[in-house]
Amino acid sequence: MSGAAHELTAAAPAEAPVVLSARGLCRAFGGFVAVNKVDLDVRHARVHALIGPNGAGKTTVFNLLTKFLQPTAGTIRLLDRDITRTDPAKVARMGLVRSFQISAVFPHLTVLENVRVALQRPAGLATQFWLPLRSLDRLNERAMQLIETVGLQDARDCPAADLSYGRKRVLEIATTLALDPKVLLLDEPMAGMGHEDVEVVAALVREVAASRAVLMVEHNLKVVADLCDEVTVLQHGEILTSGDYRSVSEDPRVREAYMGTDHD
């Protein structure tokens, strides 16, 4: 092999494997088609954004992928296994975990206690309610590892209610990581945050995506531009286009449907 050919080969690494996919995904509510023939591939160690105007079907797609809704038609595969008719709890145990638009932490528990609660299921303690509280101490080491991963070690003993909104969302990500997801779905993780919190959470998402796939619904286009490897645009429940942010943002159909003429 010539030197030039070798350099070309070295510069073109194999594409990351698809870990979550949908084909022909549809969902109708009576006569209203909310999602229509959506094809989607989410790859390992990539951040994939799902964007579009209000009512485009983004949250419905999330609910279909995580099985909170059953599709009217189409198939969903997780880690090359068909999960189209699998219930949400089993899908979560298989490694597909999501967050919600509203922070879902226990406000009166401390940061450490919140993460310990999340660790109970993977540790096999979730249904052993008769055990004394000290039995959860075995989870402290792993809980602290997760807390340090998301930068909340200084708040380990603080009630979650005392955290800023942005730090509550960071804690929520820590509790989802406790389930060791292979694919993490984040529903508007930056919603309602100030600039400083957005930067913290974006950096955390980037770090999290180094070892797992992340699919996120996000309205902050600067975050999408800076953070996401792939962007899929929905309009009226259908995919308008997909690609990297630059190609998507330059598509005149996207500008008209979602971004306008000046989206910066």
Side-chain angles (χ1 to χ4, degrees):
M1 179 183 295
S2 70
H6 176 75
E7 289 177 7
L8 181 61
T9 302
E15 195 167 24
V18 174
V19 292
L20 176 66
S21 66
R23 289 293 177 271
L25 199 60
C26 298
R27 175 67 193 198
F29 298 93
F32 172 66
V33 180
V35 173
N36 188 34
K37 298 179 181 177
V38 165
D39 293 342
L40 190 67
D41 285 327
V42 181
R43 297 182 180 274
H44 175 68
R46 298 289 187 271
V47 182
H48 192 136
L50 196 60
I51 69 172
N54 290 333
K58 304 180 296 296
T59 297
T60 303
V61 169
F62 255 41
N63 288 336
L64 290 169
L65 293 175
T66 51
K67 310 318 310 302
F68 285 82
L69 286 174
Q70 288 294 338
T72 306
T75 59
I76 307 166
R77 299 186 70 84
L78 171 66
L79 303 173
D80 209 28
R81 294 175 60 184
D82 191 325
I83 63 166
T84 309
R85 300 300 169 192
T86 306
D87 67 77
K90 185 173 181 181
V91 166
R93 291 193 296 271
M94 291 169 65
L96 180 60
V97 179
R98 72 173 289 181
S99 73
F100 293 86
Q101 292 181 20
I102 300 173
S103 183
V105 297
F106 297 105
H108 301 300
L109 296 183
T110 68
V111 167
L112 177 62
E113 289 167 342
N114 266 278
V115 178
R116 289 203 316 184
V117 168
L119 284 168
Q120 287 181 54
R121 179 167 290 283
L125 298 174
T127 58
Q128 299 182 31
F129 54 85
W130 61 86
L131 293 175
L133 189 61
R134 65 178 179 274
S135 66
L136 298 182
D137 288 348
R138 74 184 77 171
L139 304 178
N140 285 351
E141 182 177 358
R142 177 58 181 152
M144 280 307 304
Q145 289 174 351
L146 289 167
I147 289 168
E148 289 171 5
T149 295
V150 301
L152 288 177
Q153 58 270 27
D154 62 318
R156 58 162 284 173
D157 297 319
C158 293
D162 292 347
L163 299 177
S164 69
Y165 178 74
R167 299 194 98 194
K168 283 177 183 159
R169 298 312 300 258
V170 167
L171 175 57
E172 184 180 357
I173 291 175
T175 62
T176 59
L177 293 179
L179 301 175
D180 193 24
K182 306 300 184 292
V183 185
L184 181 59
L185 276 63
L186 301 175
D187 196 354
E188 298 192 35
M190 319 293 177
M193 288 186 189
H195 177 72
E196 185 175 325
D197 282 337
V198 166
E199 288 186 348
V200 170
V201 175
L204 176 57
V205 171
R206 187 177 293 110
E207 183 176 346
V208 164
S211 56
R212 56 182 55 80
V214 175
L215 176 65
M216 59 191 289
V217 169
E218 183 53 57
H219 286 291
N220 187 324
L221 296 183
K222 185 178 187 307
V223 169
V224 173
D226 293 344
L227 185 60
C228 297
D229 304 289
E230 180 85 6
V231 181
T232 296
V233 185
L234 283 177
Q235 183 184 30
H236 304 310
E238 299 182 351
I239 291 181
L240 190 61
T241 188
S242 288
D244 59 40
Y245 180 81
R246 181 174 180 177
S247 63
V248 163
S249 65
E250 291 176 352
D251 189 319
R253 297 171 301 165
V254 175
R255 288 177 175 271
E256 180 181 357
Y258 182 69
M259 299 178 184
T261 56
D262 182 5
H263 54 273
D264 294 324

